[in-house]
Amino acid sequence: MTDLTTHIPTSELSTCTPVLRNQPVSKIENYDPTTYKTLAFYKFHDFTQSQLEELREKLLIDLGELGIVGRIYISKEGINAQMACPEECLPKLQEYVENSIKPLVGGDLMDLNLGTEHGKRSFRALHVRIRKQLIVDGLDPSSYDLNNVPSHLSPAEWHEKLTTYEKQHGKKPILIDMRNHYESNIGFFEGAIRPDADTYKDCIKAMNEICAEVPKDEEIFMYCTGGIRCTKAGAILQSASGFKKVHLVDGGITAYGRWIAEQEDKESLFKGKNFTFDARMGEKITDDVFGKCQICGQPCNRYQNCSHSSCNILMLCCPSCSAQFLNTCARLKCYDTVHEFVNSASEHFKPDGPVMVNGVRAFVKQGEKNMDKESSRVVIGKQGVKCDNEHNRRIRAIEVLGEPGEVLKEWAKAGRDLPPKPDVTMNSEI
Protein backbone atom coordinates (compact mmCIF):
# COMPACT_ATOMS: atom_id res chain seq x y z
CA MET A 1 0.00 0.00 0.00
CA THR A 2 1.29 3.47 -0.89
CA ASP A 3 2.61 5.64 1.95
CA LEU A 4 -0.23 8.04 2.76
CA THR A 5 2.24 10.75 3.75
CA THR A 6 2.76 11.46 0.06
CA HIS A 7 -0.70 13.06 -0.01
CA ILE A 8 -1.71 16.47 1.25
CA PRO A 9 -2.47 16.42 5.00
CA THR A 10 -6.12 16.74 5.91
CA SER A 11 -5.49 20.02 7.70
CA GLU A 12 -4.17 21.55 4.48
CA LEU A 13 -6.79 20.24 2.06
CA SER A 14 -9.02 23.32 2.13
CA THR A 15 -6.12 25.74 1.57
CA CYS A 16 -5.69 24.66 -2.05
CA THR A 17 -6.26 27.20 -4.81
CA PRO A 18 -10.02 27.50 -5.47
CA VAL A 19 -11.41 26.10 -8.71
CA LEU A 20 -14.17 27.38 -10.92
CA ARG A 21 -17.64 26.11 -10.18
CA ASN A 22 -18.86 23.24 -12.34
CA GLN A 23 -15.24 22.19 -12.89
CA PRO A 24 -14.88 19.03 -10.77
CA VAL A 25 -11.26 18.33 -9.88
CA SER A 26 -10.07 14.85 -9.01
CA LYS A 27 -6.52 13.54 -9.29
CA ILE A 28 -7.70 10.17 -10.56
CA GLU A 29 -4.70 9.78 -12.85
CA ASN A 30 -2.56 9.20 -9.75
CA TYR A 31 -4.37 6.01 -8.76
CA ASP A 32 -4.89 2.52 -10.15
CA PRO A 33 -8.61 2.31 -11.13
CA THR A 34 -8.78 -1.32 -9.99
CA THR A 35 -8.03 -0.34 -6.37
CA TYR A 36 -11.08 1.87 -5.87
CA LYS A 37 -13.65 1.07 -3.18
CA THR A 38 -17.26 2.17 -3.55
CA LEU A 39 -18.88 3.67 -0.46
CA ALA A 40 -21.62 6.03 0.71
CA PHE A 41 -22.80 8.12 3.64
CA TYR A 42 -25.64 10.54 4.34
CA LYS A 43 -26.99 12.82 7.05
CA PHE A 44 -30.10 14.96 7.33
CA HIS A 45 -29.01 18.34 8.69
CA ASP A 46 -30.14 21.95 8.29
CA PHE A 47 -27.88 24.03 6.02
CA THR A 48 -28.28 27.61 4.83
CA GLN A 49 -27.87 28.49 1.15
CA SER A 50 -24.57 30.27 1.80
CA GLN A 51 -23.28 27.22 3.68
CA LEU A 52 -24.17 25.04 0.71
CA GLU A 53 -22.13 27.16 -1.70
CA GLU A 54 -19.11 27.02 0.59
CA LEU A 55 -19.53 23.30 1.25
CA ARG A 56 -19.71 22.54 -2.45
CA GLU A 57 -16.39 24.22 -3.19
CA LYS A 58 -14.77 22.67 -0.12
CA LEU A 59 -15.80 19.12 -1.05
CA LEU A 60 -14.72 19.51 -4.67
CA ILE A 61 -11.25 20.64 -3.65
CA ASP A 62 -10.66 18.42 -0.63
CA LEU A 63 -12.01 15.16 -2.00
CA GLY A 64 -10.53 15.81 -5.42
CA GLU A 65 -7.08 15.88 -3.85
CA LEU A 66 -7.65 12.31 -2.66
CA GLY A 67 -8.54 11.06 -6.14
CA ILE A 68 -12.15 10.52 -5.11
CA VAL A 69 -14.88 10.34 -7.75
CA GLY A 70 -18.62 10.18 -7.28
CA ARG A 71 -21.86 12.11 -6.84
CA ILE A 72 -22.51 14.17 -3.74
CA TYR A 73 -25.85 15.88 -3.30
CA ILE A 74 -26.24 18.65 -0.75
CA SER A 75 -29.35 20.62 0.14
CA LYS A 76 -30.85 22.62 2.96
CA GLU A 77 -31.91 19.28 4.46
CA GLY A 78 -28.49 17.57 4.46
CA ILE A 79 -25.88 15.63 2.50
CA ASN A 80 -26.01 12.39 0.51
CA ALA A 81 -22.72 11.05 -0.86
CA GLN A 82 -22.00 8.11 -3.16
CA MET A 83 -18.38 7.85 -4.14
CA ALA A 84 -15.40 5.70 -5.00
CA CYS A 85 -12.09 6.15 -3.17
CA PRO A 86 -8.64 4.67 -3.86
CA GLU A 87 -8.03 2.00 -1.24
CA GLU A 88 -4.80 3.64 -0.16
CA CYS A 89 -6.69 6.88 0.57
CA LEU A 90 -9.43 5.36 2.71
CA PRO A 91 -7.65 6.23 5.99
CA LYS A 92 -7.32 9.84 4.80
CA LEU A 93 -10.98 9.93 3.83
CA GLN A 94 -12.02 8.54 7.21
CA GLU A 95 -9.88 11.17 8.92
CA TYR A 96 -11.39 13.89 6.74
CA VAL A 97 -14.94 12.77 7.48
CA GLU A 98 -14.20 12.67 11.20
CA ASN A 99 -12.48 16.05 11.40
CA SER A 100 -14.17 18.09 8.67
CA ILE A 101 -17.60 16.71 7.79
CA LYS A 102 -18.92 15.50 11.14
CA PRO A 103 -18.53 18.95 12.78
CA LEU A 104 -20.55 20.45 9.92
CA VAL A 105 -23.50 18.10 10.51
CA GLY A 106 -23.77 18.29 14.27
CA GLY A 107 -20.98 15.89 15.19
CA ASP A 108 -22.83 12.72 14.22
CA LEU A 109 -22.58 10.78 10.96
CA MET A 110 -23.04 7.18 9.89
CA ASP A 111 -19.94 5.08 9.28
CA LEU A 112 -18.68 4.94 5.71
CA ASN A 113 -20.94 2.33 4.09
CA LEU A 114 -18.63 0.20 1.93
CA GLY A 115 -20.10 -1.73 -0.98
CA THR A 116 -19.87 -5.50 -1.30
CA GLU A 117 -18.25 -5.59 -4.75
CA HIS A 118 -15.31 -3.53 -5.96
CA GLY A 119 -12.50 -3.96 -8.49
CA LYS A 120 -13.14 -0.94 -10.70
CA ARG A 121 -13.82 2.76 -10.46
CA SER A 122 -17.60 3.04 -10.24
CA PHE A 123 -17.83 6.75 -11.14
CA ARG A 124 -16.06 8.73 -13.86
CA ALA A 125 -15.62 12.07 -12.11
CA LEU A 126 -16.36 14.00 -8.94
CA HIS A 127 -19.55 16.07 -8.88
CA VAL A 128 -21.05 18.00 -5.98
CA ARG A 129 -24.53 19.29 -6.75
CA ILE A 130 -26.85 21.55 -4.77
CA ARG A 131 -30.44 20.35 -4.78
CA LYS A 132 -33.71 21.62 -3.40
CA GLN A 133 -34.18 18.28 -1.61
CA LEU A 134 -31.87 15.30 -1.18
CA ILE A 135 -34.69 13.04 -2.31
CA VAL A 136 -37.91 14.46 -3.71
CA ASP A 137 -40.94 13.23 -1.76
CA GLY A 138 -43.71 15.40 -3.25
CA LEU A 139 -44.81 16.57 0.20
CA ASP A 140 -44.81 19.90 1.98
CA PRO A 141 -41.62 19.80 4.12
CA SER A 142 -43.51 21.47 6.96
CA SER A 143 -45.84 18.45 7.17
CA TYR A 144 -43.19 16.16 8.69
CA ASP A 145 -40.19 16.29 11.00
CA LEU A 146 -36.90 14.76 9.86
CA ASN A 147 -35.71 14.77 13.47
CA ASN A 148 -38.31 12.10 14.26
CA VAL A 149 -35.85 9.41 13.25
CA PRO A 150 -37.06 5.79 12.88
CA SER A 151 -35.33 2.90 14.61
CA HIS A 152 -32.05 1.92 12.93
CA LEU A 153 -31.45 -1.81 13.40
CA SER A 154 -28.05 -3.34 12.81
CA PRO A 155 -28.02 -6.01 10.08
CA ALA A 156 -27.85 -8.67 12.81
CA GLU A 157 -30.84 -7.19 14.68
CA TRP A 158 -32.76 -6.79 11.41
CA HIS A 159 -32.12 -10.42 10.47
CA GLU A 160 -33.16 -11.67 13.91
CA LYS A 161 -36.37 -9.61 14.03
CA LEU A 162 -37.53 -10.67 10.57
CA THR A 163 -36.59 -14.31 11.17
CA THR A 164 -38.52 -14.60 14.45
CA TYR A 165 -41.38 -12.15 13.87
CA GLU A 166 -44.02 -14.58 12.59
CA LYS A 167 -43.34 -17.07 15.39
CA GLN A 168 -43.58 -14.36 18.04
CA HIS A 169 -46.59 -12.48 16.67
CA GLY A 170 -48.51 -15.11 14.72
CA LYS A 171 -48.44 -13.09 11.50
CA LYS A 172 -45.98 -11.89 8.90
CA PRO A 173 -44.31 -8.50 9.36
CA ILE A 174 -45.26 -5.46 7.30
CA LEU A 175 -42.11 -5.12 5.23
CA ILE A 176 -41.94 -2.39 2.55
CA ASP A 177 -39.37 -2.04 -0.24
CA MET A 178 -38.81 1.73 -0.62
CA ARG A 179 -37.06 1.49 -3.99
CA ASN A 180 -38.11 1.86 -7.62
CA HIS A 181 -39.52 -1.02 -9.65
CA TYR A 182 -36.35 -1.68 -11.65
CA GLU A 183 -34.38 -2.04 -8.41
CA SER A 184 -36.72 -4.56 -6.79
CA ASN A 185 -37.04 -6.47 -10.08
CA ILE A 186 -33.61 -8.02 -9.55
CA GLY A 187 -33.46 -8.43 -5.78
CA PHE A 188 -35.55 -8.06 -2.61
CA PHE A 189 -36.11 -9.25 0.94
CA GLU A 190 -38.42 -12.25 1.01
CA GLY A 191 -41.99 -11.34 1.90
CA ALA A 192 -41.56 -7.64 1.11
CA ILE A 193 -44.29 -5.49 -0.41
CA ARG A 194 -42.70 -4.10 -3.58
CA PRO A 195 -44.58 -1.06 -4.94
CA ASP A 196 -44.62 -0.66 -8.72
CA ALA A 197 -42.92 2.71 -8.35
CA ASP A 198 -41.02 4.86 -10.84
CA THR A 199 -39.93 7.55 -8.37
CA TYR A 200 -39.45 8.13 -4.66
CA LYS A 201 -42.67 10.17 -4.68
CA ASP A 202 -44.45 7.04 -5.92
CA CYS A 203 -42.86 5.06 -3.08
CA ILE A 204 -44.07 7.54 -0.46
CA LYS A 205 -47.58 7.48 -1.90
CA ALA A 206 -47.58 3.66 -1.92
CA MET A 207 -46.23 3.55 1.64
CA ASN A 208 -49.04 5.79 2.89
CA GLU A 209 -51.62 3.64 1.10
CA ILE A 210 -50.16 0.43 2.54
CA CYS A 211 -50.17 1.83 6.07
CA ALA A 212 -53.53 3.63 5.86
CA GLU A 213 -55.45 0.90 7.72
CA VAL A 214 -52.59 -0.32 9.90
CA PRO A 215 -52.83 0.39 13.67
CA LYS A 216 -50.39 3.10 14.74
CA ASP A 217 -48.69 0.83 17.29
CA GLU A 218 -47.95 -1.83 14.65
CA GLU A 219 -44.30 -2.40 13.76
CA ILE A 220 -43.37 -1.31 10.23
CA PHE A 221 -40.18 -2.55 8.57
CA MET A 222 -38.70 -0.88 5.49
CA TYR A 223 -35.48 -1.02 3.50
CA CYS A 224 -33.65 0.61 0.59
CA THR A 225 -30.14 0.56 -0.89
CA GLY A 226 -28.23 2.48 1.76
CA GLY A 227 -30.82 3.79 4.22
CA ILE A 228 -31.46 7.41 3.26
CA ARG A 229 -34.82 6.82 1.59
CA CYS A 230 -36.08 4.84 4.59
CA THR A 231 -34.76 7.37 7.09
CA LYS A 232 -36.90 10.02 5.43
CA ALA A 233 -39.88 7.73 4.84
CA GLY A 234 -39.78 6.54 8.45
CA ALA A 235 -39.69 10.12 9.71
CA ILE A 236 -42.74 10.87 7.57
CA LEU A 237 -44.63 7.85 8.93
CA GLN A 238 -43.81 8.69 12.53
CA SER A 239 -44.22 12.47 12.52
CA ALA A 240 -46.98 12.91 9.94
CA SER A 241 -48.95 9.68 10.39
CA GLY A 242 -48.35 8.91 14.06
CA PHE A 243 -46.67 5.50 13.84
CA LYS A 244 -44.56 4.56 16.84
CA LYS A 245 -42.41 1.63 15.71
CA VAL A 246 -40.83 2.11 12.29
CA HIS A 247 -37.66 0.10 11.70
CA LEU A 248 -35.04 0.15 8.96
CA VAL A 249 -31.81 -1.76 8.47
CA ASP A 250 -28.91 0.58 9.21
CA GLY A 251 -26.83 0.97 6.05
CA GLY A 252 -29.56 -0.61 3.93
CA ILE A 253 -29.17 -3.63 1.69
CA THR A 254 -25.51 -2.73 1.20
CA ALA A 255 -24.68 -3.16 4.89
CA TYR A 256 -26.87 -6.26 5.18
CA GLY A 257 -25.14 -7.84 2.18
CA ARG A 258 -21.74 -7.15 3.70
CA TRP A 259 -22.84 -8.64 7.04
CA ILE A 260 -24.55 -11.76 5.67
CA ALA A 261 -21.48 -12.61 3.58
CA GLU A 262 -19.58 -13.07 6.85
CA GLN A 263 -22.19 -15.38 8.41
CA GLU A 264 -21.47 -19.05 7.83
CA ASP A 265 -24.53 -20.34 9.69
CA LYS A 266 -27.23 -18.00 8.33
CA GLU A 267 -29.14 -17.86 5.05
CA SER A 268 -29.65 -14.47 3.46
CA LEU A 269 -33.16 -13.04 3.71
CA PHE A 270 -32.33 -10.81 0.75
CA LYS A 271 -32.37 -12.68 -2.54
CA GLY A 272 -30.74 -11.65 -5.79
CA LYS A 273 -28.89 -8.46 -6.63
CA ASN A 274 -28.79 -5.05 -4.97
CA PHE A 275 -29.17 -2.37 -7.67
CA THR A 276 -26.65 0.48 -7.37
CA PHE A 277 -26.67 3.93 -8.96
CA ASP A 278 -23.15 3.75 -10.36
CA ALA A 279 -21.24 2.01 -13.13
CA ARG A 280 -21.54 -1.39 -11.41
CA MET A 281 -25.35 -1.21 -11.61
CA GLY A 282 -25.61 -3.80 -8.90
CA GLU A 283 -23.97 -5.97 -6.25
CA LYS A 284 -24.73 -9.67 -6.07
CA ILE A 285 -25.99 -10.77 -2.66
CA THR A 286 -27.14 -14.28 -3.66
CA ASP A 287 -27.13 -16.30 -6.89
CA ASP A 288 -30.90 -15.94 -7.37
CA VAL A 289 -31.86 -14.43 -10.75
CA PHE A 290 -35.32 -12.90 -11.18
CA GLY A 291 -35.11 -10.87 -14.38
CA LYS A 292 -34.95 -11.71 -18.08
CA CYS A 293 -32.69 -10.33 -20.79
CA GLN A 294 -34.74 -7.82 -22.78
CA ILE A 295 -33.22 -9.06 -26.04
CA CYS A 296 -33.13 -12.87 -25.81
CA GLY A 297 -35.37 -13.57 -22.81
CA GLN A 298 -32.84 -15.65 -20.89
CA PRO A 299 -32.58 -15.29 -17.08
CA CYS A 300 -30.63 -12.13 -16.32
CA ASN A 301 -29.99 -9.70 -13.45
CA ARG A 302 -27.53 -7.48 -15.37
CA TYR A 303 -28.56 -3.91 -16.22
CA GLN A 304 -27.09 -1.64 -18.89
CA ASN A 305 -28.04 1.53 -20.76
CA CYS A 306 -28.23 1.45 -24.54
CA SER A 307 -24.88 2.73 -25.84
CA HIS A 308 -26.64 5.01 -28.33
CA SER A 309 -26.80 7.86 -25.84
CA SER A 310 -29.78 9.48 -27.53
CA CYS A 311 -31.67 6.30 -26.62
CA ASN A 312 -30.04 5.46 -23.27
CA ILE A 313 -32.85 3.08 -22.30
CA LEU A 314 -32.19 1.19 -19.05
CA MET A 315 -32.64 -2.52 -19.68
CA LEU A 316 -31.73 -5.98 -18.50
CA CYS A 317 -29.22 -7.49 -20.92
CA CYS A 318 -27.10 -10.63 -20.66
CA PRO A 319 -23.36 -10.45 -21.46
CA SER A 320 -23.85 -12.42 -24.69
CA CYS A 321 -26.48 -10.06 -26.13
CA SER A 322 -24.57 -7.04 -24.89
CA ALA A 323 -21.52 -8.11 -26.89
CA GLN A 324 -23.53 -9.26 -29.91
CA PHE A 325 -25.48 -6.00 -30.20
CA LEU A 326 -22.65 -3.64 -29.20
CA ASN A 327 -24.22 -2.64 -25.87
CA THR A 328 -27.29 -1.27 -27.64
CA CYS A 329 -30.96 -2.08 -27.05
CA ALA A 330 -30.85 -4.10 -30.34
CA ARG A 331 -33.27 -1.86 -32.21
CA LEU A 332 -32.03 -1.42 -35.77
CA LYS A 333 -31.62 2.36 -35.56
CA CYS A 334 -29.49 2.14 -32.44
CA TYR A 335 -27.46 -0.88 -33.55
CA ASP A 336 -26.76 0.44 -37.06
CA THR A 337 -25.67 3.85 -35.77
CA VAL A 338 -23.21 2.42 -33.26
CA HIS A 339 -22.06 -0.36 -35.62
CA GLU A 340 -21.16 2.18 -38.31
CA PHE A 341 -18.86 4.05 -36.00
CA VAL A 342 -17.34 0.94 -34.43
CA ASN A 343 -16.40 -0.56 -37.78
CA SER A 344 -16.01 2.33 -40.20
CA ALA A 345 -14.85 5.27 -38.16
CA SER A 346 -12.91 3.78 -35.26
CA GLU A 347 -9.71 5.35 -36.57
CA HIS A 348 -11.19 8.75 -35.79
CA PHE A 349 -11.63 8.06 -32.10
CA LYS A 350 -9.28 9.50 -29.54
CA PRO A 351 -9.26 8.77 -25.81
CA ASP A 352 -9.30 12.34 -24.53
CA GLY A 353 -12.63 13.54 -25.86
CA PRO A 354 -15.27 13.57 -28.62
CA VAL A 355 -14.60 14.01 -32.33
CA MET A 356 -16.76 14.87 -35.31
CA VAL A 357 -17.08 12.08 -37.85
CA ASN A 358 -19.14 12.95 -40.92
CA GLY A 359 -20.87 15.63 -38.89
CA VAL A 360 -21.72 13.32 -35.99
CA ARG A 361 -20.33 13.78 -32.49
CA ALA A 362 -18.93 10.49 -31.21
CA PHE A 363 -16.45 9.31 -28.62
CA VAL A 364 -15.16 6.42 -26.59
CA LYS A 365 -16.02 6.93 -22.93
CA GLN A 366 -12.61 7.19 -21.33
CA GLY A 367 -14.20 6.80 -17.91
CA GLU A 368 -15.63 3.46 -18.98
CA LYS A 369 -12.16 2.32 -20.04
CA ASN A 370 -10.74 3.38 -16.70
CA MET A 371 -13.43 1.51 -14.82
CA ASP A 372 -12.99 -1.62 -16.92
CA LYS A 373 -9.87 -1.84 -19.06
CA GLU A 374 -11.52 -4.37 -21.37
CA SER A 375 -14.32 -1.94 -22.22
CA SER A 376 -14.22 0.23 -25.33
CA ARG A 377 -17.79 1.44 -25.32
CA VAL A 378 -18.65 3.72 -28.22
CA VAL A 379 -21.21 6.40 -27.51
CA ILE A 380 -22.97 8.44 -30.16
CA GLY A 381 -23.69 11.94 -28.89
CA LYS A 382 -27.09 13.61 -28.97
CA GLN A 383 -25.80 16.24 -31.40
CA GLY A 384 -25.28 13.53 -33.97
CA VAL A 385 -27.61 10.82 -35.24
CA LYS A 386 -30.89 11.02 -33.37
CA CYS A 387 -32.75 8.09 -31.91
CA ASP A 388 -36.52 7.82 -32.39
CA ASN A 389 -36.96 8.35 -28.67
CA GLU A 390 -34.86 9.75 -25.86
CA HIS A 391 -35.15 7.82 -22.64
CA ASN A 392 -34.20 7.86 -19.00
CA ARG A 393 -34.75 5.55 -16.03
CA ARG A 394 -38.40 6.53 -15.76
CA ILE A 395 -39.16 5.03 -19.17
CA ARG A 396 -39.57 1.28 -18.89
CA ALA A 397 -37.80 -0.89 -21.43
CA ILE A 398 -40.91 -3.00 -21.93
CA GLU A 399 -42.78 0.11 -23.14
CA VAL A 400 -40.18 0.69 -25.85
CA LEU A 401 -38.92 -2.80 -26.69
CA GLY A 402 -41.93 -4.94 -25.82
CA GLU A 403 -41.72 -8.22 -23.93
CA PRO A 404 -38.29 -9.89 -23.68
CA GLY A 405 -37.31 -11.19 -27.11
CA GLU A 406 -39.77 -9.09 -29.13
CA VAL A 407 -37.16 -6.58 -30.28
CA LEU A 408 -35.61 -9.28 -32.49
CA LYS A 409 -38.81 -9.40 -34.57
CA GLU A 410 -37.78 -6.02 -35.98
CA TRP A 411 -34.75 -7.70 -37.55
CA ALA A 412 -36.84 -10.48 -39.09
CA LYS A 413 -39.39 -8.00 -40.42
CA ALA A 414 -36.60 -6.04 -42.10
CA GLY A 415 -35.12 -9.24 -43.58
CA ARG A 416 -31.89 -8.73 -41.63
CA ASP A 417 -29.65 -11.44 -40.23
CA LEU A 418 -28.71 -11.03 -36.59
CA PRO A 419 -25.13 -9.97 -35.85
CA PRO A 420 -22.74 -12.88 -35.28
CA LYS A 421 -22.49 -14.02 -31.69
CA PRO A 422 -19.04 -13.34 -30.22
CA ASP A 423 -17.35 -15.74 -27.84
CA VAL A 424 -18.44 -14.56 -24.41
CA THR A 425 -17.79 -16.34 -21.16
CA MET A 426 -21.13 -16.54 -19.37
CA ASN A 427 -19.82 -15.72 -15.91
CA SER A 428 -21.70 -14.85 -12.76
CA GLU A 429 -22.63 -11.41 -14.07
CA ILE A 430 -26.02 -12.35 -15.47
Side-chain angles (χ1 to χ4, degrees), residues 118 242 291 300 305 316 412 429:
H118 306 283
C300 174
N305 290 91
L316 288 168
E429 190 189 7

Short mmCIF file of all heavy atoms in Angstrom, two decimals, residues 118 242 291 300 305 316 412 429:
data_model
loop_
_atom_site.label_atom_id
_atom_site.label_comp_id
_atom_site.label_asym_id
_atom_site.label_seq_id
_atom_site.Cartn_x
_atom_site.Cartn_y
_atom_site.Cartn_z
N HIS A 118 -16.19 -4.62 -5.54
CA HIS A 118 -15.31 -3.53 -5.96
C HIS A 118 -14.55 -3.97 -7.22
O HIS A 118 -15.08 -4.68 -8.04
CB HIS A 118 -14.34 -3.17 -4.83
CG HIS A 118 -15.03 -2.87 -3.53
ND1 HIS A 118 -15.67 -1.67 -3.28
CD2 HIS A 118 -15.20 -3.61 -2.41
CE1 HIS A 118 -16.19 -1.68 -2.07
NE2 HIS A 118 -15.93 -2.85 -1.52
N GLY A 242 -48.17 9.34 12.69
CA GLY A 242 -48.35 8.91 14.06
C GLY A 242 -47.91 7.51 14.40
O GLY A 242 -48.23 7.00 15.48
N GLY A 291 -34.77 -11.59 -13.17
CA GLY A 291 -35.11 -10.87 -14.38
C GLY A 291 -34.87 -11.69 -15.63
O GLY A 291 -34.42 -12.84 -15.58
N CYS A 300 -31.65 -13.18 -16.33
CA CYS A 300 -30.63 -12.13 -16.32
C CYS A 300 -30.92 -11.13 -15.21
O CYS A 300 -32.06 -10.69 -15.05
CB CYS A 300 -30.61 -11.43 -17.68
SG CYS A 300 -29.52 -10.01 -17.79
N ASN A 305 -27.35 0.52 -19.95
CA ASN A 305 -28.04 1.53 -20.76
C ASN A 305 -27.63 1.34 -22.20
O ASN A 305 -26.48 1.01 -22.49
CB ASN A 305 -27.67 2.94 -20.31
CG ASN A 305 -28.25 3.29 -18.96
OD1 ASN A 305 -27.62 3.08 -17.93
ND2 ASN A 305 -29.45 3.82 -18.95
N LEU A 316 -32.45 -4.78 -18.87
CA LEU A 316 -31.73 -5.98 -18.50
C LEU A 316 -31.15 -6.60 -19.77
O LEU A 316 -31.85 -6.75 -20.77
CB LEU A 316 -32.66 -6.97 -17.81
CG LEU A 316 -33.10 -6.60 -16.39
CD1 LEU A 316 -34.24 -7.51 -15.93
CD2 LEU A 316 -31.93 -6.69 -15.43
N ALA A 412 -36.21 -9.55 -38.15
CA ALA A 412 -36.84 -10.48 -39.09
C ALA A 412 -37.75 -9.75 -40.07
O ALA A 412 -37.77 -10.04 -41.27
CB ALA A 412 -37.64 -11.52 -38.30
N GLU A 429 -21.96 -12.69 -13.86
CA GLU A 429 -22.63 -11.41 -14.07
C GLU A 429 -23.77 -11.58 -15.07
O GLU A 429 -23.69 -11.21 -16.23
CB GLU A 429 -21.65 -10.35 -14.58
CG GLU A 429 -22.25 -8.96 -14.58
CD GLU A 429 -21.35 -7.95 -15.28
OE1 GLU A 429 -20.34 -8.34 -15.86
OE2 GLU A 429 -21.69 -6.77 -15.24
#
